[in-house]
Amino acid sequence: MGLPKDGSAETIVIPRGKPKSGRVWKEVRKERFSAIKKVKPLRTSWTKKMQQKSIRKSVLSYEKELKEAKAKEKELKRVRQEEHKAKKLENERKSEVVQPIKDTAKIKRMKKKQLRKIEKR
C-alpha cells in the first residue's frame, strides 16, 4: 500500500494538510521537549561572584553619596534664596516713603483706584 511497485525501499512523502489553527509556518515536532539537549549556562566561581557583588555595592554607595551631596547643595541653594527674598522684601519696606492717614473720614471720600493703593501696616 505505502511501497512503490518497482520494489525499491523509498518511502512516499505524504504532503501535510493545512493545520486547523491556520499556522502553516509551524513545523511538526520530531522529538519531545524533554529529549532535546539543553545547553547548560556558564557558571561563575564563588570568588568571582563575591568580587562582582562588592564592586556593585561600592558603585551603589558612591551613587548614593553623589545623590546626597546634590540634594544637600539644592537645599542650601533653596535656603539662600529664601533668605535673599526675605532680606529684599525687608529692604523694600524700609525704603518706602509712607504717608499716614490721620483723618479716617478721608478714606470714605476716596475713589476706588485710590483705595486700592492703600496698605495697612
Side-chain angles (χ1 to χ4, degrees), residues 38-69:
K38 294 167 192 91
V39 179
K40 289 187 178 181
L42 296 170
R43 292 193 180 130
T44 55
S45 64
W46 180 255
T47 52
K48 212 165 197 175
K49 261 188 196 177
M50 290 298 113
Q51 260 185 336
Q52 286 176 346
K53 191 177 180 181
S54 66
I55 290 168
R56 196 177 323 119
K57 202 173 184 181
S58 65
V59 167
L60 285 171
S61 66
Y62 180 66
E63 211 173 277
K64 193 176 179 182
E65 282 175 30
L66 287 176
K67 278 184 182 177
E68 285 174 356

Side-chain angles (χ1 to χ4, degrees), residues 3 6 14 17-18 24 30 32 41 43 45 47 55 59 75 81 85-86 91 96-97 99-101 103 111 114 117:
L3 295 171
D6 63 336
I14 302 167
K18 190 178 174 192
V24 290
K30 277 124 186 142
R32 290 175 181 257
R43 292 193 180 130
S45 64
T47 52
I55 290 168
V59 167
E75 180 68 24
Q81 282 179 338
K85 259 188 187 176
N91 287 340
E96 281 180 350
V97 178
Q99 190 178 1
I101 302 168
D103 186 20
K111 293 179 180 156
Q114 288 173 324
K117 291 181 182 178

Side-chain angles (χ1 to χ4, degrees), residues 69-81:
K70 200 173 182 183
K72 196 175 183 182
E73 202 174 295
K74 198 174 180 182
E75 180 68 24
L76 285 170
K77 190 177 179 184
R78 188 187 62 79
V79 169
R80 271 201 315 262
Q81 282 179 338

